[in-house]
């Protein structure tokens, strides 16, 4: 497995693949890899000849400087994990390499970036759009693999690729969970043992939505939020039931639409997100 740090190196690598008519799969990450990330690479390996993983903690998508500072980083461990499963190359650039100068672009994303994460993390999706547009320019893959754990991000990236007329197909991959249901996340490393012990409550509560389908949207939101908030360890920041395409909140009259319940929860200083598809 090769590790590239510069655009020039990865560009030469990609050109060589194109000359050999090999298909390229791309998995963008911020590192601190876990089995959720690895599942994307494994899906990528099944669908492409060669897979490149980027590891770049993208400063422009952090709206909280402490979150950026505390974000776990361990390139060596990440590289060992990727090598083991047969990944072909890592692109691990410096901040200067990606942003040689300030990137002031503003993206229009047809509203999919406005609610939920968009509302509570101002500027987050614009930062995601910046880095993904730059990465797909440097690594013009046939397919790029994203996790449904970040459901709204998948919608944002699909919209971005459409707006920019990029040829890369965006492949959405299922969420990998711990045995207690907690969605795998690099931020789980930052949880206290007490928060970690009880964090399965988030998925447990979300999974109960299907049992309460006959209730109003408002009542469902109350039931789920109360269950998570009740032991005092967690605080629901938002819970929204939204259309899977537009990411707009649905009303009781719109329950026949394909929906997703998205949640953000504070576990002490750590912010966790999750979602489940709802079948009303
Ligand atoms: P991140 O490093 O957090 O930016 O995540 C990189 C990619 O991995 C994104 O497409 C995430 O949605 C995906 N991902 C993160 N956690 C999981 C998970 N538990 N299951 C599946 N995909 C995940």
């Amino acid at each position: 497995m090769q590790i590239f740090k510069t655009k020039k190196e990865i560009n030469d690598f990609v050109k060589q693949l194109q000359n050999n008519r090999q298909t390229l799969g791309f998995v963008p990450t911020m590192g601190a890899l876990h089995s959720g990330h690895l599942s994307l690479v494994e899906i990528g390996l099944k669908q492409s000849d060669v897979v490149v993983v980027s590891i770049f903690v993208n400063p422009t998508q952090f709206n909280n400087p402490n979150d950026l500072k505390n974000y776990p980083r361990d390139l060596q461990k990440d590289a060992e994990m990727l090598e083991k499963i047969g990944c072909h190359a890592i692109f691990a650039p410096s901040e200067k390499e990606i942003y040689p100068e300030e990137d002031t672009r503003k993206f229009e994303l047809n509203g999919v970036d406005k609610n939920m994460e968009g509302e509570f993390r101002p500027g987050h999706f614009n930062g995601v759009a910046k880095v993904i547009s730059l990465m797909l320019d440097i690594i013009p893959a046939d397919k790029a693999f994203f996790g449904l754990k970040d459901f709204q991000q998948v919608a944002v990236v699909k919209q971005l690729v459409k707006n920019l007329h990029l040829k890369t197909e965006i492949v959405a991959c299922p969420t990998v969970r711990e045995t207690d249901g907690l969605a795998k996340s690099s931020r789980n490393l930052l949880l206290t043992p007490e928060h970690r012990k009880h964090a399965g409550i988030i998925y447990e509560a979300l999974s109960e939505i299907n049992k309460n389908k006959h209730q109003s949207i408002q009542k469902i939101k109350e039931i789920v939020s109360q269950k998570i908030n009740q032991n005092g360890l967690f605080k629901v920041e938002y819970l929204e039931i939204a259309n899977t395409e537009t990411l707009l909140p649905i009303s009781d009259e719109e329950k026949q639409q394909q929906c997703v319940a998205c949640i953000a929860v504070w576990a002490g200083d750590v912010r966790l997100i999750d979602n489940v598809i709802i079948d009303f």
Side-chain angles (χ1 to χ4, degrees):
M1 188 181 66
Q2 291 171 278
I3 302 183
F4 303 115
K5 300 259 181 189
T6 65
K7 288 187 271 196
K8 162 97 181 66
E9 287 169 326
I10 189 78
N11 230 274
D12 290 347
F13 180 77
V14 171
K15 280 209 184 100
Q16 206 179 325
L17 299 180
Q18 287 169 338
N19 288 340
N20 297 342
R21 305 220 174 283
Q22 286 172 297
T23 59
L24 176 57
F26 175 43
V27 181
T29 81
M30 299 203 297
L33 302 182
H34 50 67
S35 55
H37 298 112
L38 298 186
S39 76
L40 304 186
V41 179
E42 275 158 355
I43 294 169
L45 286 166
K46 287 199 189 109
Q47 298 190 20
S48 352
D49 296 324
V50 171
V51 171
V52 173
V53 172
S54 66
I55 296 181
F56 178 64
V57 182
N58 173 36
T60 64
Q61 73 185 69
F62 284 81
N63 55 321
N64 175 341
N66 260 340
D67 190 22
L68 174 61
K69 187 170 129 249
N70 295 333
Y71 202 84
R73 295 163 169 90
D74 192 343
L75 180 58
Q76 198 184 331
K77 186 162 162 233
D78 290 344
E80 283 165 17
M81 290 166 91
L82 290 172
E83 171 124 59
K84 238 187 232 156
I85 62 164
C87 175
H88 298 89
I90 295 177
F91 178 48
S94 67
E95 197 178 316
K96 265 264 156 305
E97 189 69 15
I98 296 298
Y99 298 111
E101 57 215 34
E102 198 188 352
D103 182 348
T104 55
R105 288 175 299 164
K106 290 266 178 284
F107 290 84
E108 208 293 296
L109 296 160
N110 202 22
V112 293
D113 59 327
K114 292 285 182 274
N115 300 310
M116 304 189 290
E117 289 303 279
E119 184 181 341
F120 286 89
R121 298 187 70 190
H124 168 65
F125 285 129
N126 201 62
V128 169
K130 281 179 188 172
V131 78
I132 296 298
S133 64
L134 293 167
M135 286 285 181
L136 287 178
D137 186 45
I138 302 165
I139 306 173
D142 298 282
K143 294 184 179 187
F145 300 85
F146 288 83
L148 284 168
K149 147 110 188 345
D150 299 284
F151 193 95
Q152 196 174 5
Q153 175 170 271
V154 174
V156 162
V157 172
K158 281 187 175 167
Q159 188 65 47
L160 174 75
V161 163
K162 192 169 163 192
N163 291 2
L164 299 178
H165 306 291
L166 303 181
K167 59 149 203 162
T168 305
E169 179 191 340
I170 303 305
V171 181
C173 306
T175 301
V176 176
R177 299 180 180 281
E178 303 283 359
T179 45
D180 67 351
L182 176 65
K184 297 247 185 186
S185 165
S186 309
R187 289 189 177 84
N188 294 352
L189 292 172
L190 307 173
L191 293 173
T192 65
E194 186 68 357
H195 282 114
R196 175 61 199 90
K197 190 169 148 201
H198 296 281
I201 190 82
I202 299 169
Y203 182 60
E204 199 185 311
L206 282 181
S207 303
E208 281 183 11
I209 296 180
N210 277 311
K211 268 202 321 218
N212 291 295
K213 285 195 287 209
H214 53 283
Q215 305 273 12
S216 69
I217 300 282
Q218 187 52 35
K219 184 78 191 158
I220 293 172
K221 290 194 328 193
E222 276 168 30
I223 294 170
V224 173
S225 300
Q226 272 168 18
K227 189 175 166 96
I228 296 171
N229 288 338
Q230 73 189 358
N231 68 3
L233 281 174
F234 302 102
K235 178 112 194 55
V236 173
E237 185 173 69
Y238 69 78
L239 167 64
E240 205 54 85
I241 300 182
N243 178 291
T244 53
E245 296 289 318
T246 63
L247 278 297
L248 292 174
I250 62 149
S251 64
D252 286 314
E253 292 70 44
E254 293 166 331
K255 271 178 160 181
Q256 75 287 356
Q257 298 176 3
Q258 165 87 272
C259 299
V260 58
C262 296
I263 197 166
V265 177
W266 284 99
D269 295 339
V270 183
R271 189 173 180 278
L272 303 173
I273 59 168
D274 201 351
N275 66 81
V276 293
I277 296 291
I278 307 294
D279 189 14
F280 279 116

mmCIF file of all heavy atoms in Angstrom, residues 105-126:
data_model
loop_
_atom_site.group_PDB
_atom_site.id
_atom_site.type_symbol
_atom_site.label_atom_id
_atom_site.label_comp_id
_atom_site.label_asym_id
_atom_site.label_seq_id
_atom_site.Cartn_x
_atom_site.Cartn_y
_atom_site.Cartn_z
ATOM 1 N N ARG A 105 -15.344 29.891 -1.317
ATOM 2 C CA ARG A 105 -16.515 29.507 -2.117
ATOM 3 C C ARG A 105 -17.750 29.270 -1.231
ATOM 4 O O ARG A 105 -17.641 28.775 -0.120
ATOM 5 C CB ARG A 105 -16.220 28.212 -2.897
ATOM 6 C CG ARG A 105 -15.243 28.414 -4.042
ATOM 7 C CD ARG A 105 -14.910 27.085 -4.676
ATOM 8 N NE ARG A 105 -14.274 26.174 -3.732
ATOM 9 C CZ ARG A 105 -14.162 24.862 -3.930
ATOM 10 N NH1 ARG A 105 -14.672 24.313 -5.018
ATOM 11 N NH2 ARG A 105 -13.556 24.099 -3.039
ATOM 12 N N LYS A 106 -18.903 29.632 -1.781
ATOM 13 C CA LYS A 106 -20.175 29.342 -1.104
ATOM 14 C C LYS A 106 -20.972 28.438 -2.034
ATOM 15 O O LYS A 106 -21.155 28.750 -3.204
ATOM 16 C CB LYS A 106 -20.978 30.640 -0.888
ATOM 17 C CG LYS A 106 -20.358 31.563 0.147
ATOM 18 C CD LYS A 106 -20.970 31.331 1.537
ATOM 19 C CE LYS A 106 -20.355 32.189 2.606
ATOM 20 N NZ LYS A 106 -19.026 31.732 3.045
ATOM 21 N N PHE A 107 -21.425 27.319 -1.498
ATOM 22 C CA PHE A 107 -22.122 26.343 -2.333
ATOM 23 C C PHE A 107 -23.632 26.468 -2.163
ATOM 24 O O PHE A 107 -24.124 26.676 -1.062
ATOM 25 C CB PHE A 107 -21.680 24.929 -1.953
ATOM 26 C CG PHE A 107 -20.262 24.655 -2.354
ATOM 27 C CD1 PHE A 107 -19.209 25.043 -1.537
ATOM 28 C CD2 PHE A 107 -19.972 24.035 -3.563
ATOM 29 C CE1 PHE A 107 -17.894 24.814 -1.908
ATOM 30 C CE2 PHE A 107 -18.657 23.807 -3.935
ATOM 31 C CZ PHE A 107 -17.622 24.192 -3.107
ATOM 32 N N GLU A 108 -24.318 26.306 -3.287
ATOM 33 C CA GLU A 108 -25.779 26.303 -3.265
ATOM 34 C C GLU A 108 -26.161 24.821 -3.392
ATOM 35 O O GLU A 108 -25.811 24.161 -4.373
ATOM 36 C CB GLU A 108 -26.281 27.124 -4.471
ATOM 37 C CG GLU A 108 -27.628 27.772 -4.226
ATOM 38 C CD GLU A 108 -28.732 26.755 -4.104
ATOM 39 O OE1 GLU A 108 -28.983 26.067 -5.087
ATOM 40 O OE2 GLU A 108 -29.316 26.602 -3.021
ATOM 41 N N LEU A 109 -26.836 24.287 -2.375
ATOM 42 C CA LEU A 109 -27.051 22.829 -2.341
ATOM 43 C C LEU A 109 -28.539 22.466 -2.298
ATOM 44 O O LEU A 109 -28.917 21.422 -1.735
ATOM 45 C CB LEU A 109 -26.290 22.233 -1.152
ATOM 46 C CG LEU A 109 -24.755 22.386 -1.271
ATOM 47 C CD1 LEU A 109 -24.071 22.236 0.076
ATOM 48 C CD2 LEU A 109 -24.186 21.381 -2.271
ATOM 49 N N ASN A 110 -29.343 23.323 -2.903
ATOM 50 C CA ASN A 110 -30.758 23.037 -3.084
ATOM 51 C C ASN A 110 -31.490 22.768 -1.764
ATOM 52 O O ASN A 110 -32.451 21.987 -1.729
ATOM 53 C CB ASN A 110 -30.906 21.831 -4.029
ATOM 54 C CG ASN A 110 -32.258 21.796 -4.687
ATOM 55 O OD1 ASN A 110 -32.938 22.835 -4.774
ATOM 56 N ND2 ASN A 110 -32.688 20.619 -5.116
ATOM 57 N N GLY A 111 -30.983 23.319 -0.687
ATOM 58 C CA GLY A 111 -31.694 23.223 0.602
ATOM 59 C C GLY A 111 -31.410 21.972 1.422
ATOM 60 O O GLY A 111 -31.740 21.934 2.608
ATOM 61 N N VAL A 112 -30.770 20.953 0.845
ATOM 62 C CA VAL A 112 -30.550 19.721 1.633
ATOM 63 C C VAL A 112 -29.570 19.971 2.787
ATOM 64 O O VAL A 112 -29.484 19.174 3.717
ATOM 65 C CB VAL A 112 -30.067 18.511 0.790
ATOM 66 C CG1 VAL A 112 -31.138 18.045 -0.169
ATOM 67 C CG2 VAL A 112 -28.770 18.810 0.075
ATOM 68 N N ASP A 113 -28.871 21.090 2.713
ATOM 69 C CA ASP A 113 -27.871 21.434 3.739
ATOM 70 C C ASP A 113 -28.411 22.353 4.824
ATOM 71 O O ASP A 113 -27.686 22.765 5.717
ATOM 72 C CB ASP A 113 -26.677 22.125 3.068
ATOM 73 C CG ASP A 113 -27.114 23.394 2.327
ATOM 74 O OD1 ASP A 113 -28.245 23.414 1.794
ATOM 75 O OD2 ASP A 113 -26.341 24.360 2.286
ATOM 76 N N LYS A 114 -29.704 22.677 4.758
ATOM 77 C CA LYS A 114 -30.201 23.760 5.619
ATOM 78 C C LYS A 114 -30.659 23.297 7.008
ATOM 79 O O LYS A 114 -30.446 23.990 7.994
ATOM 80 C CB LYS A 114 -31.357 24.494 4.921
ATOM 81 C CG LYS A 114 -30.898 25.282 3.695
ATOM 82 C CD LYS A 114 -30.157 26.561 4.088
ATOM 83 C CE LYS A 114 -29.728 27.378 2.916
ATOM 84 N NZ LYS A 114 -28.440 27.017 2.333
ATOM 85 N N ASN A 115 -31.351 22.145 7.099
ATOM 86 C CA ASN A 115 -31.920 21.731 8.390
ATOM 87 C C ASN A 115 -30.938 20.885 9.188
ATOM 88 O O ASN A 115 -29.852 20.595 8.742
ATOM 89 C CB ASN A 115 -33.199 20.913 8.154
ATOM 90 C CG ASN A 115 -34.215 21.727 7.406
ATOM 91 O OD1 ASN A 115 -34.498 22.855 7.797
ATOM 92 N ND2 ASN A 115 -34.715 21.181 6.315
ATOM 93 N N MET A 116 -31.371 20.483 10.345
ATOM 94 C CA MET A 116 -30.664 19.507 11.193
ATOM 95 C C MET A 116 -29.189 19.860 11.366
ATOM 96 O O MET A 116 -28.868 20.874 11.968
ATOM 97 C CB MET A 116 -30.887 18.092 10.617
ATOM 98 C CG MET A 116 -32.376 17.784 10.501
ATOM 99 S SD MET A 116 -32.801 16.118 10.099
ATOM 100 C CE MET A 116 -32.267 15.994 8.415
ATOM 101 N N GLU A 117 -28.266 19.081 10.805
ATOM 102 C CA GLU A 117 -26.839 19.411 10.971
ATOM 103 C C GLU A 117 -26.542 20.806 10.422
ATOM 104 O O GLU A 117 -25.698 21.524 10.949
ATOM 105 C CB GLU A 117 -25.965 18.375 10.254
ATOM 106 C CG GLU A 117 -25.942 17.017 10.914
ATOM 107 C CD GLU A 117 -25.481 17.081 12.352
ATOM 108 O OE1 GLU A 117 -24.274 17.140 12.588
ATOM 109 O OE2 GLU A 117 -26.337 17.091 13.245
ATOM 110 N N GLY A 118 -27.233 21.165 9.341
ATOM 111 C CA GLY A 118 -27.031 22.483 8.727
ATOM 112 C C GLY A 118 -27.398 23.603 9.681
ATOM 113 O O GLY A 118 -26.724 24.633 9.741
ATOM 114 N N GLU A 119 -28.473 23.375 10.440
ATOM 115 C CA GLU A 119 -28.938 24.404 11.378
ATOM 116 C C GLU A 119 -28.043 24.461 12.619
ATOM 117 O O GLU A 119 -27.703 25.553 13.090
ATOM 118 C CB GLU A 119 -30.376 24.065 11.778
ATOM 119 C CG GLU A 119 -31.001 25.103 12.660
ATOM 120 C CD GLU A 119 -32.419 24.719 13.069
ATOM 121 O OE1 GLU A 119 -33.058 23.855 12.422
ATOM 122 O OE2 GLU A 119 -32.884 25.288 14.075
ATOM 123 N N PHE A 120 -27.673 23.305 13.134
ATOM 124 C CA PHE A 120 -26.935 23.283 14.401
ATOM 125 C C PHE A 120 -25.419 23.377 14.226
ATOM 126 O O PHE A 120 -24.699 23.611 15.195
ATOM 127 C CB PHE A 120 -27.321 22.031 15.207
ATOM 128 C CG PHE A 120 -28.683 22.163 15.814
ATOM 129 C CD1 PHE A 120 -29.817 21.776 15.122
ATOM 130 C CD2 PHE A 120 -28.828 22.747 17.064
ATOM 131 C CE1 PHE A 120 -31.076 21.932 15.671
ATOM 132 C CE2 PHE A 120 -30.093 22.918 17.627
ATOM 133 C CZ PHE A 120 -31.224 22.507 16.931
ATOM 134 N N ARG A 121 -24.930 23.149 13.020
ATOM 135 C CA ARG A 121 -23.497 23.312 12.761
ATOM 136 C C ARG A 121 -23.318 24.259 11.575
ATOM 137 O O ARG A 121 -22.965 23.827 10.470
ATOM 138 C CB ARG A 121 -22.838 21.948 12.448
ATOM 139 C CG ARG A 121 -22.928 20.959 13.591
ATOM 140 C CD ARG A 121 -22.132 19.713 13.290
ATOM 141 N NE ARG A 121 -20.704 19.968 13.310
ATOM 142 C CZ ARG A 121 -19.776 19.095 12.902
ATOM 143 N NH1 ARG A 121 -20.138 17.915 12.428
ATOM 144 N NH2 ARG A 121 -18.500 19.391 12.957
ATOM 145 N N PRO A 122 -23.541 25.567 11.799
ATOM 146 C CA PRO A 122 -23.487 26.520 10.683
ATOM 147 C C PRO A 122 -22.146 26.422 9.941
ATOM 148 O O PRO A 122 -21.093 26.381 10.569
ATOM 149 C CB PRO A 122 -23.642 27.882 11.363
ATOM 150 C CG PRO A 122 -24.169 27.599 12.737
ATOM 151 C CD PRO A 122 -23.772 26.203 13.093
ATOM 152 N N GLY A 123 -22.217 26.358 8.649
ATOM 153 C CA GLY A 123 -20.999 26.326 7.829
ATOM 154 C C GLY A 123 -20.436 24.923 7.627
ATOM 155 O O GLY A 123 -19.579 24.715 6.768
ATOM 156 N N HIS A 124 -20.940 23.961 8.399
ATOM 157 C CA HIS A 124 -20.382 22.602 8.327
ATOM 158 C C HIS A 124 -20.464 22.020 6.903
ATOM 159 O O HIS A 124 -19.461 21.582 6.343
ATOM 160 C CB HIS A 124 -21.129 21.702 9.315
ATOM 161 C CG HIS A 124 -20.861 20.251 9.145
ATOM 162 N ND1 HIS A 124 -19.614 19.689 9.359
ATOM 163 C CD2 HIS A 124 -21.658 19.216 8.750
ATOM 164 C CE1 HIS A 124 -19.663 18.392 9.128
ATOM 165 N NE2 HIS A 124 -20.888 18.078 8.752
ATOM 166 N N PHE A 125 -21.653 22.056 6.324
ATOM 167 C CA PHE A 125 -21.803 21.423 5.011
ATOM 168 C C PHE A 125 -21.101 22.210 3.910
ATOM 169 O O PHE A 125 -20.679 21.637 2.909
ATOM 170 C CB PHE A 125 -23.277 21.196 4.669
ATOM 171 C CG PHE A 125 -23.875 20.042 5.433
ATOM 172 C CD1 PHE A 125 -25.062 20.190 6.124
ATOM 173 C CD2 PHE A 125 -23.234 18.808 5.467
ATOM 174 C CE1 PHE A 125 -25.608 19.116 6.841
ATOM 175 C CE2 PHE A 125 -23.767 17.740 6.177
ATOM 176 C CZ PHE A 125 -24.960 17.893 6.861
ATOM 177 N N ASN A 126 -20.992 23.533 4.087
ATOM 178 C CA ASN A 126 -20.224 24.297 3.090
ATOM 179 C C ASN A 126 -18.759 23.832 3.122
ATOM 180 O O ASN A 126 -18.116 23.693 2.070
ATOM 181 C CB ASN A 126 -20.334 25.798 3.352
ATOM 182 C CG ASN A 126 -20.017 26.598 2.107
ATOM 183 O OD1 ASN A 126 -20.698 26.484 1.092
ATOM 184 N ND2 ASN A 126 -18.937 27.365 2.159
#
